[in-house]
């Protein structure tokens, strides 16, 4: 698919159809929202079950006895898995836009380092010595350049229709390939 720019999201009215729209662009991560109201981190608690139907994706709720219950598989476990979910902004030379970032994409933004996994950062935070590591993990990913693939669709938030842009994949920029593509497009004009 042809690469677009960030302004295409609003400029082309993406996400207003019945099916989601997809686009890929080269952009800079300009902000990552690392705090959620009422929580100590940019994650949610997910079911420990790595098999179907949960695959560590569905929300687990802590029970009064300290265990974790999943409504999807109807199982209760002693522990849960923390998965990233946060918003951020991406920008290119045309525009800035808010995006939603989920676990796999967040881990890629954090360079796949084991110390950047949500469970690890959570453990460090509750032990009282992880705030600097947590903050620096998000700061290191800010102002980095990526090839970003997004899904844009309309969703109901409360009683309001909103356009939501979700990051589906991120890939580091291969500057040799990018330079060749730019040169090819300049020569074609």
């Amino acid at each position: 698919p042809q690469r677009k720019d960030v302004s295409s999201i609003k400029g082309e009215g993406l996400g207003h159809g019945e099916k989601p729209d997809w686009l890929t662009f080269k952009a800079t991560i300009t902000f990552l929202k690392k705090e959620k109201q009422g929580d100590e981190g940019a994650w949610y608690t997910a079911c420990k079950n790595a098999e179907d139907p949960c695959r560590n994706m569905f929300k687990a709720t802590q029970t009064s006895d300290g265990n974790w219950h999943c409504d999807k598989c109807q199982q209760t476990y002693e522990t849960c898995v923390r998965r990233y979910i946060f918003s951020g902004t991406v920008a290119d030379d045309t525009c800035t836009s808010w995006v939603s970032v989920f676990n796999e994409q967040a881990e890629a933004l954090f360079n796949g380092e084991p110390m950047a996994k949500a469970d690890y950062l959570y453990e460090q935070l509750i032990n009282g010595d992880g705030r600097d590591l947590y903050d620096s993990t998000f700061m290191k990913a800010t102002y980095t350049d990526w090839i970003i693939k997004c899904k844009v669709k309309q969703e109901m938030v409360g009683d309001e229709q909103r356009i939501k842009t979700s990051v589906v994949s991120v890939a580091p920029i291969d500057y040799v390939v990018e330079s060749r593509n730019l040169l090819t497009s300049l020569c074609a004009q």
Side-chain angles (χ1 to χ4, degrees):
Q2 180 185 1
R3 178 134 0 124
K4 299 189 178 212
D5 52 44
V6 176
S7 67
S8 298
I9 296 169
K10 289 183 184 151
E12 295 179 16
L14 298 181
H16 289 282
E18 283 191 30
K19 293 185 178 181
D21 290 307
W22 300 83
L23 78 154
T24 302
F25 49 79
K26 182 177 109 182
T28 302
I29 304 293
T30 55
F31 173 74
L32 295 175
K33 188 175 181 184
K34 62 184 181 192
E35 306 297 334
K36 290 189 306 189
Q37 188 173 349
D39 195 2
E40 67 280 330
W43 45 66
Y44 69 98
T45 52
C47 181
K48 185 180 176 180
N49 181 3
E51 305 298 319
D52 283 333
C54 297
R55 298 188 321 249
N56 295 128
M57 289 203 247
F58 289 92
K59 183 170 176 57
T61 308
Q62 195 165 27
T63 59
S64 59
D65 62 0
N67 289 319
W68 296 89
H69 180 75
C70 174
D71 287 335
K72 180 73 175 177
C73 68
Q74 293 297 313
Q75 297 293 316
T76 301
Y77 299 96
E78 289 183 14
T79 60
C80 66
V81 175
R82 281 171 179 76
R83 293 177 56 88
Y84 288 114
I85 183 169
F86 55 84
S87 57
T89 56
V90 296
D92 62 12
D93 59 332
T94 66
C95 185
T96 299
S97 181
W98 282 94
V99 295
S100 296
V101 181
F102 300 99
N103 196 66
E104 287 75 14
Q105 297 75 34
E107 289 179 355
L109 290 176
F110 301 148
N111 292 322
E113 295 179 24
M115 291 193 325
K117 296 234 181 241
D119 274 333
Y120 181 81
L121 288 178
Y122 170 77
E123 290 297 326
Q124 298 307 304
L125 280 174
I126 63 167
N127 290 335
D129 58 352
R131 176 49 65 179
D132 288 344
L133 176 62
Y134 181 77
D135 291 342
S136 69
T137 299
F138 280 80
M139 285 304 296
K140 282 188 226 172
T142 306
Y143 294 103
T144 56
D145 296 329
W146 299 87
I147 304 297
I148 302 172
K149 182 177 181 180
C150 289
K151 175 174 74 170
V152 185
K153 68 178 188 171
Q154 204 168 40
E155 287 188 348
M156 286 296 286
V157 179
D159 57 352
E160 182 182 343
Q161 284 274 15
R162 289 191 188 167
I163 299 297
K164 180 177 181 179
T165 304
S166 301
V167 175
V168 175
S169 69
V170 294
I173 294 178
D174 181 335
Y175 288 99
V176 171
V177 170
E178 288 300 309
S179 298
R180 285 187 186 131
N181 290 344
L182 184 58
L183 187 59
T184 301
S185 69
L186 288 172
C187 290
Q189 294 180 353

